[in-house]
Amino acid sequence: MTGRKAELAENLARVEERIAAACAAAGRKREDVTLIVVTKTYPASDVRLLHELGVRDVAENRDQDAAPKAAACADLDLRWHFVGQLQTNKVRSVTSYADVVQSVDRPKLVTALSAAAERGGRELGCLIQVALDAGSGERGERGGVAPDGIEELAAAVDAAPRLRLDGLMTVAPLAGPYAGRQRAAFDRLMDLSTVLRATRPAANMVSAGMSADLEDAVAAGATHVRIGTAVLGVRPRLG
Ligand SMILES: *Cc1c(COP(=O)(O)O)cnc(C)c1O
Protein backbone atom coordinates (compact mmCIF):
# COMPACT_ATOMS: atom_id res chain seq x y z
CA MET A 1 0.00 0.00 0.00
CA THR A 2 1.14 3.54 -0.70
CA GLY A 3 1.45 5.86 2.26
CA ARG A 4 -1.74 7.65 1.31
CA LYS A 5 -3.70 4.45 0.87
CA ALA A 6 -2.53 3.16 4.25
CA GLU A 7 -3.49 6.47 5.84
CA LEU A 8 -6.95 6.39 4.29
CA ALA A 9 -7.38 2.75 5.30
CA GLU A 10 -6.48 3.56 8.89
CA ASN A 11 -8.83 6.55 9.00
CA LEU A 12 -11.64 4.54 7.43
CA ALA A 13 -11.14 1.79 9.99
CA ARG A 14 -11.40 4.32 12.81
CA VAL A 15 -14.60 5.82 11.37
CA GLU A 16 -16.00 2.34 10.81
CA GLU A 17 -15.31 1.55 14.46
CA ARG A 18 -17.12 4.73 15.56
CA ILE A 19 -20.16 3.94 13.41
CA ALA A 20 -20.26 0.35 14.64
CA ALA A 21 -20.01 1.47 18.27
CA ALA A 22 -22.74 4.08 17.77
CA CYS A 23 -25.00 1.47 16.15
CA ALA A 24 -24.38 -0.97 18.99
CA ALA A 25 -25.12 1.72 21.60
CA ALA A 26 -28.37 2.59 19.82
CA GLY A 27 -29.42 -1.03 19.30
CA ARG A 28 -29.28 -0.54 15.54
CA LYS A 29 -27.88 -2.84 12.89
CA ARG A 30 -24.62 -1.67 11.34
CA GLU A 31 -25.97 -2.20 7.84
CA ASP A 32 -28.75 0.31 8.49
CA VAL A 33 -26.23 3.17 8.37
CA THR A 34 -24.40 4.03 5.14
CA LEU A 35 -21.09 5.86 5.21
CA ILE A 36 -20.78 8.58 2.59
CA VAL A 37 -17.24 9.93 2.29
CA VAL A 38 -17.12 13.66 1.53
CA THR A 39 -14.16 14.04 -0.83
CA LYS A 40 -14.43 17.81 -1.44
CA THR A 41 -11.06 19.57 -1.93
CA TYR A 42 -9.29 16.19 -2.25
CA PRO A 43 -8.09 14.83 -5.62
CA ALA A 44 -9.59 12.14 -7.82
CA SER A 45 -6.63 9.91 -6.87
CA ASP A 46 -8.01 9.81 -3.31
CA VAL A 47 -11.46 8.87 -4.60
CA ARG A 48 -9.83 6.01 -6.50
CA LEU A 49 -7.99 4.80 -3.37
CA LEU A 50 -11.22 5.02 -1.35
CA HIS A 51 -12.95 2.91 -3.97
CA GLU A 52 -10.17 0.31 -3.70
CA LEU A 53 -10.79 0.34 0.05
CA GLY A 54 -14.46 -0.45 -0.46
CA VAL A 55 -16.12 2.98 -0.39
CA ARG A 56 -19.05 3.23 -2.81
CA ASP A 57 -20.75 6.47 -1.74
CA VAL A 58 -18.92 9.78 -2.14
CA ALA A 59 -20.11 13.37 -1.77
CA GLU A 60 -19.06 16.74 -3.13
CA ASN A 61 -20.33 20.26 -2.48
CA ARG A 62 -19.08 22.33 -5.44
CA ASP A 63 -19.74 21.53 -9.05
CA GLN A 64 -16.46 23.09 -10.24
CA ASP A 65 -14.49 20.52 -8.21
CA ALA A 66 -16.91 17.65 -8.49
CA ALA A 67 -17.46 17.57 -12.27
CA PRO A 68 -13.82 16.87 -13.28
CA LYS A 69 -13.39 14.46 -10.37
CA ALA A 70 -16.48 12.47 -11.32
CA ALA A 71 -15.28 12.41 -14.93
CA ALA A 72 -11.86 11.10 -13.84
CA CYS A 73 -13.58 8.34 -11.86
CA ALA A 74 -16.31 7.51 -14.37
CA ASP A 75 -14.99 3.93 -14.70
CA LEU A 76 -15.71 3.22 -11.01
CA ASP A 77 -19.05 2.04 -9.61
CA LEU A 78 -19.57 4.98 -7.27
CA ARG A 79 -22.70 6.75 -6.14
CA TRP A 80 -22.13 10.52 -6.22
CA HIS A 81 -24.04 12.65 -3.74
CA PHE A 82 -24.21 16.41 -4.21
CA VAL A 83 -24.42 18.11 -0.80
CA GLY A 84 -23.68 21.79 -1.46
CA GLN A 85 -25.80 24.84 -2.13
CA LEU A 86 -26.79 24.52 -5.75
CA GLN A 87 -27.36 27.36 -8.20
CA THR A 88 -29.72 26.61 -11.07
CA ASN A 89 -27.00 27.39 -13.65
CA LYS A 90 -24.98 24.43 -12.29
CA VAL A 91 -27.87 22.00 -12.34
CA ARG A 92 -27.23 20.64 -15.81
CA SER A 93 -23.65 19.76 -14.94
CA VAL A 94 -24.48 18.28 -11.53
CA THR A 95 -27.22 16.16 -13.03
CA SER A 96 -24.73 14.60 -15.46
CA TYR A 97 -22.85 12.78 -12.67
CA ALA A 98 -24.83 12.99 -9.43
CA ASP A 99 -27.03 10.09 -8.40
CA VAL A 100 -28.52 11.96 -5.45
CA VAL A 101 -28.84 15.68 -4.77
CA GLN A 102 -29.09 16.10 -1.00
CA SER A 103 -29.49 19.88 -1.01
CA VAL A 104 -32.91 20.40 -2.59
CA ASP A 105 -34.31 23.48 -0.85
CA ARG A 106 -36.54 25.46 -3.20
CA PRO A 107 -39.19 24.82 -5.85
CA LYS A 108 -37.17 26.52 -8.59
CA LEU A 109 -34.38 24.02 -8.03
CA VAL A 110 -36.82 21.12 -8.30
CA THR A 111 -38.01 22.40 -11.68
CA ALA A 112 -34.45 22.84 -12.93
CA LEU A 113 -33.31 19.41 -11.69
CA SER A 114 -36.27 17.71 -13.29
CA ALA A 115 -35.71 19.42 -16.64
CA ALA A 116 -32.01 18.53 -16.60
CA ALA A 117 -32.68 14.92 -15.61
CA GLU A 118 -35.21 14.62 -18.43
CA ARG A 119 -32.76 16.06 -20.92
CA GLY A 120 -30.03 13.71 -19.73
CA GLY A 121 -32.35 10.71 -19.64
CA ARG A 122 -31.48 10.01 -16.01
CA GLU A 123 -33.36 9.48 -12.78
CA LEU A 124 -32.19 11.59 -9.87
CA GLY A 125 -32.65 10.96 -6.16
CA CYS A 126 -33.55 14.03 -4.11
CA LEU A 127 -33.22 14.78 -0.43
CA ILE A 128 -34.88 17.87 0.95
CA GLN A 129 -32.32 19.82 2.95
CA VAL A 130 -33.91 21.05 6.16
CA ALA A 131 -32.58 24.19 7.85
CA LEU A 132 -33.15 24.01 11.59
CA ASP A 133 -31.90 27.58 12.03
CA ALA A 134 -34.45 29.14 9.69
CA GLY A 135 -37.72 30.86 10.52
CA SER A 136 -40.96 30.08 8.72
CA GLY A 137 -40.57 30.58 4.98
CA GLU A 138 -36.87 31.40 5.28
CA ARG A 139 -33.79 29.62 4.08
CA GLY A 140 -30.98 28.71 6.46
CA GLU A 141 -27.47 30.17 6.61
CA ARG A 142 -26.08 27.17 4.79
CA GLY A 143 -29.06 26.47 2.57
CA GLY A 144 -32.04 24.36 3.43
CA VAL A 145 -35.74 25.01 3.82
CA ALA A 146 -37.47 25.71 7.12
CA PRO A 147 -39.46 22.70 8.42
CA ASP A 148 -42.79 24.23 7.38
CA GLY A 149 -41.60 24.27 3.76
CA ILE A 150 -40.91 20.51 3.52
CA GLU A 151 -44.38 19.47 2.38
CA GLU A 152 -44.50 21.95 -0.51
CA LEU A 153 -41.12 20.76 -1.76
CA ALA A 154 -42.00 17.09 -1.33
CA ALA A 155 -45.13 17.63 -3.42
CA ALA A 156 -43.06 19.40 -6.07
CA VAL A 157 -40.59 16.49 -6.24
CA ASP A 158 -43.47 13.98 -6.36
CA ALA A 159 -44.89 15.79 -9.37
CA ALA A 160 -41.57 16.28 -11.17
CA PRO A 161 -40.64 13.82 -13.94
CA ARG A 162 -37.37 11.90 -13.41
CA LEU A 163 -37.02 12.92 -9.75
CA ARG A 164 -37.36 10.48 -6.87
CA LEU A 165 -37.95 11.70 -3.34
CA ASP A 166 -35.49 9.80 -1.15
CA GLY A 167 -35.81 11.64 2.19
CA LEU A 168 -34.34 14.44 4.27
CA MET A 169 -30.91 15.91 4.99
CA THR A 170 -29.63 18.41 7.51
CA VAL A 171 -26.43 20.04 8.68
CA ALA A 172 -26.31 20.67 12.43
CA PRO A 173 -26.97 24.41 12.77
CA LEU A 174 -24.36 26.81 14.14
CA ALA A 175 -27.00 29.35 15.17
CA GLY A 176 -30.51 29.39 16.56
CA PRO A 177 -32.15 27.15 19.15
CA TYR A 178 -30.21 24.05 18.05
CA ALA A 179 -26.73 25.60 18.06
CA GLY A 180 -24.42 23.21 19.92
CA ARG A 181 -27.31 20.74 20.41
CA GLN A 182 -26.63 18.25 17.64
CA ARG A 183 -28.58 15.42 19.21
CA ALA A 184 -31.68 17.58 19.61
CA ALA A 185 -31.31 18.83 16.04
CA PHE A 186 -31.05 15.29 14.67
CA ASP A 187 -34.00 14.15 16.80
CA ARG A 188 -36.02 16.97 15.26
CA LEU A 189 -34.98 15.85 11.76
CA MET A 190 -36.12 12.30 12.62
CA ASP A 191 -39.52 13.64 13.73
CA LEU A 192 -39.83 15.48 10.43
CA SER A 193 -38.84 12.29 8.61
CA THR A 194 -41.55 10.37 10.46
CA VAL A 195 -44.14 12.88 9.24
CA LEU A 196 -42.80 12.68 5.68
CA ARG A 197 -42.77 8.87 5.67
CA ALA A 198 -46.39 8.72 6.84
CA THR A 199 -47.43 9.70 3.31
CA ARG A 200 -44.25 8.70 1.43
CA PRO A 201 -42.83 5.51 2.95
CA ALA A 202 -40.13 5.17 0.29
CA ALA A 203 -38.59 8.52 1.25
CA ASN A 204 -36.74 6.88 4.11
CA MET A 205 -33.23 8.31 3.84
CA VAL A 206 -32.14 10.49 6.74
CA SER A 207 -28.78 12.10 6.02
CA ALA A 208 -27.23 13.68 9.11
CA GLY A 209 -23.96 13.65 10.97
CA MET A 210 -20.44 14.67 10.00
CA SER A 211 -17.00 13.88 11.43
CA ALA A 212 -17.64 15.67 14.73
CA ASP A 213 -21.18 14.47 15.43
CA LEU A 214 -21.77 11.14 13.70
CA GLU A 215 -22.55 9.44 17.03
CA ASP A 216 -25.40 11.87 17.70
CA ALA A 217 -26.77 11.27 14.21
CA VAL A 218 -26.65 7.47 14.50
CA ALA A 219 -28.26 7.66 17.95
CA ALA A 220 -31.07 9.79 16.52
CA GLY A 221 -31.68 7.33 13.67
CA ALA A 222 -29.75 8.67 10.68
CA THR A 223 -29.48 6.24 7.76
CA HIS A 224 -26.58 8.09 6.10
CA VAL A 225 -23.63 9.90 7.65
CA ARG A 226 -21.43 12.27 5.62
CA ILE A 227 -17.82 12.10 6.73
CA GLY A 228 -14.99 14.21 5.31
CA THR A 229 -12.24 15.24 7.72
CA ALA A 230 -12.16 12.04 9.76
CA VAL A 231 -11.39 10.02 6.62
CA LEU A 232 -9.36 12.37 4.42
CA GLY A 233 -7.78 14.71 6.94
CA VAL A 234 -8.25 18.40 7.70
CA ARG A 235 -9.07 20.17 4.47
CA PRO A 236 -6.28 22.32 3.01
CA ARG A 237 -8.77 25.10 2.26
CA LEU A 238 -12.36 25.96 3.03
CA GLY A 239 -14.80 23.83 1.12
C1 LIG B 1 -18.01 19.06 4.24
C2 LIG B 1 -19.34 18.50 4.51
C3 LIG B 1 -19.49 17.35 5.30
C4 LIG B 1 -18.33 16.64 5.96
O1 LIG B 1 -17.85 17.40 7.01
P1 LIG B 1 -16.62 16.88 7.92
O2 LIG B 1 -16.76 17.70 9.15
O3 LIG B 1 -15.38 17.15 7.17
O4 LIG B 1 -16.84 15.45 8.17
C5 LIG B 1 -20.78 16.87 5.48
N1 LIG B 1 -21.85 17.47 4.93
C6 LIG B 1 -21.75 18.57 4.18
C7 LIG B 1 -22.98 19.18 3.62
C8 LIG B 1 -20.50 19.13 3.94
O5 LIG B 1 -20.41 20.24 3.19
Short mmCIF file of all heavy atoms in Angstrom, two decimals, residues 4 13 48 50 67 69 88 98 119 125 147 155 178 183 191 194 209 217 239:
data_model
loop_
_atom_site.label_atom_id
_atom_site.label_comp_id
_atom_site.label_asym_id
_atom_site.label_seq_id
_atom_site.Cartn_x
_atom_site.Cartn_y
_atom_site.Cartn_z
N ARG A 4 -0.42 7.03 1.28
CA ARG A 4 -1.74 7.65 1.31
C ARG A 4 -2.83 6.60 1.46
O ARG A 4 -3.79 6.80 2.22
CB ARG A 4 -1.96 8.47 0.03
CG ARG A 4 -3.28 9.21 -0.03
CD ARG A 4 -3.51 10.14 1.17
NE ARG A 4 -4.67 11.01 0.96
CZ ARG A 4 -5.30 11.64 1.94
NH1 ARG A 4 -4.89 11.51 3.20
NH2 ARG A 4 -6.34 12.42 1.69
N ALA A 13 -10.93 2.80 8.95
CA ALA A 13 -11.14 1.79 9.99
C ALA A 13 -11.60 2.46 11.29
O ALA A 13 -12.48 1.94 12.00
CB ALA A 13 -9.85 0.99 10.23
N ARG A 48 -10.21 7.32 -5.96
CA ARG A 48 -9.83 6.01 -6.50
C ARG A 48 -9.34 5.08 -5.37
O ARG A 48 -9.72 3.92 -5.30
CB ARG A 48 -8.72 6.23 -7.53
CG ARG A 48 -8.72 5.31 -8.68
CD ARG A 48 -7.93 5.88 -9.85
NE ARG A 48 -8.85 6.44 -10.83
CZ ARG A 48 -9.62 5.71 -11.62
NH1 ARG A 48 -9.58 4.38 -11.59
NH2 ARG A 48 -10.46 6.28 -12.47
N LEU A 50 -10.06 5.33 -2.20
CA LEU A 50 -11.22 5.02 -1.35
C LEU A 50 -12.05 3.91 -1.97
O LEU A 50 -12.53 3.01 -1.28
CB LEU A 50 -12.06 6.28 -1.12
CG LEU A 50 -11.42 7.33 -0.21
CD1 LEU A 50 -12.14 8.67 -0.34
CD2 LEU A 50 -11.41 6.85 1.25
N ALA A 67 -17.25 18.03 -10.89
CA ALA A 67 -17.46 17.57 -12.27
C ALA A 67 -16.20 16.90 -12.84
O ALA A 67 -16.28 15.77 -13.34
CB ALA A 67 -17.93 18.73 -13.15
N LYS A 69 -13.71 15.63 -11.19
CA LYS A 69 -13.39 14.46 -10.37
C LYS A 69 -14.27 13.27 -10.76
O LYS A 69 -13.80 12.14 -10.91
CB LYS A 69 -13.62 14.81 -8.90
CG LYS A 69 -12.50 14.39 -7.98
CD LYS A 69 -12.82 14.75 -6.54
CE LYS A 69 -12.61 16.23 -6.25
NZ LYS A 69 -12.78 16.50 -4.79
N THR A 88 -29.04 27.27 -9.94
CA THR A 88 -29.72 26.61 -11.07
C THR A 88 -28.83 26.53 -12.31
O THR A 88 -28.97 25.61 -13.10
CB THR A 88 -31.06 27.30 -11.42
OG1 THR A 88 -30.84 28.71 -11.48
CG2 THR A 88 -32.11 27.00 -10.38
N ALA A 98 -24.29 13.29 -10.76
CA ALA A 98 -24.83 12.99 -9.43
C ALA A 98 -25.94 11.95 -9.51
O ALA A 98 -26.74 11.94 -10.44
CB ALA A 98 -25.36 14.26 -8.78
N ARG A 119 -33.64 15.85 -19.76
CA ARG A 119 -32.76 16.06 -20.92
C ARG A 119 -31.65 15.01 -20.96
O ARG A 119 -31.28 14.53 -22.00
CB ARG A 119 -32.16 17.47 -20.85
CG ARG A 119 -31.78 18.05 -22.16
CD ARG A 119 -31.63 19.56 -22.10
NE ARG A 119 -31.14 20.01 -20.81
CZ ARG A 119 -31.49 21.15 -20.21
NH1 ARG A 119 -32.32 21.95 -20.78
NH2 ARG A 119 -30.99 21.46 -19.05
N GLY A 125 -32.12 10.98 -7.52
CA GLY A 125 -32.65 10.96 -6.16
C GLY A 125 -32.56 12.34 -5.54
O GLY A 125 -31.58 13.06 -5.79
N PRO A 147 -38.60 23.89 8.33
CA PRO A 147 -39.46 22.70 8.42
C PRO A 147 -40.85 22.88 7.81
O PRO A 147 -41.37 21.94 7.20
CB PRO A 147 -39.53 22.44 9.93
CG PRO A 147 -38.20 22.91 10.43
CD PRO A 147 -37.89 24.15 9.61
N ALA A 155 -44.09 17.72 -2.39
CA ALA A 155 -45.13 17.63 -3.42
C ALA A 155 -44.56 18.01 -4.79
O ALA A 155 -44.90 17.39 -5.81
CB ALA A 155 -46.31 18.53 -3.05
N TYR A 178 -30.91 25.34 18.05
CA TYR A 178 -30.21 24.05 18.05
C TYR A 178 -28.69 24.19 18.02
O TYR A 178 -27.98 23.19 17.94
CB TYR A 178 -30.66 23.20 16.85
CG TYR A 178 -32.08 22.74 16.98
CD1 TYR A 178 -33.11 23.34 16.26
CD2 TYR A 178 -32.42 21.69 17.84
CE1 TYR A 178 -34.42 22.92 16.38
CE2 TYR A 178 -33.72 21.26 17.97
CZ TYR A 178 -34.72 21.88 17.25
OH TYR A 178 -36.01 21.46 17.37
N ARG A 183 -27.65 16.52 19.01
CA ARG A 183 -28.58 15.42 19.21
C ARG A 183 -30.03 15.88 19.09
O ARG A 183 -30.87 15.24 18.44
CB ARG A 183 -28.33 14.75 20.57
CG ARG A 183 -29.29 13.62 20.91
CD ARG A 183 -29.18 12.47 19.89
NE ARG A 183 -30.35 11.60 19.93
CZ ARG A 183 -30.48 10.56 20.76
NH1 ARG A 183 -29.50 10.23 21.58
NH2 ARG A 183 -31.57 9.82 20.74
N ASP A 191 -38.08 13.39 13.60
CA ASP A 191 -39.52 13.64 13.73
C ASP A 191 -40.10 14.11 12.40
O ASP A 191 -41.18 13.68 11.99
CB ASP A 191 -39.79 14.70 14.81
CG ASP A 191 -39.52 14.17 16.22
OD1 ASP A 191 -39.42 12.93 16.38
OD2 ASP A 191 -39.39 15.00 17.14
N THR A 194 -40.39 11.21 10.12
CA THR A 194 -41.55 10.37 10.46
C THR A 194 -42.82 10.93 9.81
O THR A 194 -43.63 10.18 9.25
CB THR A 194 -41.71 10.28 11.99
OG1 THR A 194 -40.51 9.72 12.53
CG2 THR A 194 -42.89 9.40 12.37
N GLY A 209 -25.18 14.08 10.29
CA GLY A 209 -23.96 13.65 10.97
C GLY A 209 -22.74 13.82 10.09
O GLY A 209 -22.74 13.44 8.93
N ALA A 217 -25.90 11.55 15.35
CA ALA A 217 -26.77 11.27 14.21
C ALA A 217 -27.22 9.81 14.21
O ALA A 217 -28.40 9.51 14.00
CB ALA A 217 -26.04 11.60 12.91
N GLY A 239 -14.00 24.44 2.20
CA GLY A 239 -14.80 23.83 1.12
C GLY A 239 -16.10 23.37 1.63
O GLY A 239 -16.33 23.32 2.80
#
